[in-house]
Amino acid sequence: MSQLSATGIVAGYARVEILHGVSVTAGDGQVTCIFGPNGCGKTTLLKAIAGAIATWEGRVTLDGDELTGLPSHAVLARGLALMPQGGGVFPQLSVRDNLRMGGYTLRSRQTVHERIDELLEEFPALRDRLSVNAGNLSGGEQMMLAIARALIVRPRFLLFDEPSAGLSPKLAVAALERVAALAQRGVGVLMVEQNIREAMRVADRMYVLVGGTNRFEGRPADIADDRELMRLYLGAPE
């Protein structure tokens, strides 16, 4: 089983420490969710794992290989891709060019074209939109494009920062179902999500962060009811 581990992560911005020794573990073929109130460090954690910001203390490993301190492009080459909130598509580029950008770390153009063709079979709605600028797509289409683009490099793990953000309730559910489908094909998913109820439906494991520290680790089934969930989520005392 492939495993992504972040242990004792301390990180922040400038001189402000946001994460105070956070640890999470995610497995391939599973959806691992990170919950917590705004400002607790969820996005900072994903960025630290992906090499988008520096890790001040702690370690990040993927199947035992050290990722700590590597720049984001090197982390991507090792098989770990970060999807920022909103998917991070390039709005002024066409759908086709967005997909090509997903393969920028691959040396062979032929390989990139072949993988795009494979993904268009899996995401047929994008085939008719190849010449459309990504900024003109709907929110749901942009998320679909972002996922397809991330899969170009065939990552072992995908890190999602609130994939349902900005989507209608119906599209939010569809986005989380698509994330769950990635796990079913063997990709490991580590996801930050504010839509707690829907995310818990697809989660295999979950973490709750409060104030930049671990508050809870377990399975959704370990949460007895909404009252206990909110106590954990808000960091209220026992």
Side-chain angles (χ1 to χ4, degrees), residues 23 30 32 44 63 70 73 80 83 86 95 101 117 124 127 135-136 148 152 154 159 183 202 215 231:
S23 298
Q30 295 182 342
T32 303
T44 301
D63 292 339
L70 294 180
H73 68 273
L80 191 154
M83 289 190 54
V95 168
M101 288 295 290
D117 287 340
R127 188 180 296 277
N136 293 328
I152 296 291
R154 296 179 179 171
L159 278 55
V202 302
R215 174 74 179 185
R231 177 182 61 77

Side-chain angles (χ1 to χ4, degrees), residues 90-99 116 120 123-145 148:
F90 300 99
Q92 301 303 319
L93 296 183
S94 68
V95 168
R96 186 189 300 277
D97 286 342
N98 266 272
L99 291 172
I116 288 175
L120 289 175
F123 299 88
L126 294 177
R127 188 180 296 277
D128 296 332
R129 310 283 274 165
L130 286 174
S131 62
V132 177
N133 284 356
N136 293 328
L137 300 179
S138 68
E141 289 172 331
Q142 289 189 23
M143 180 54 63
M144 187 187 308
L145 172 59

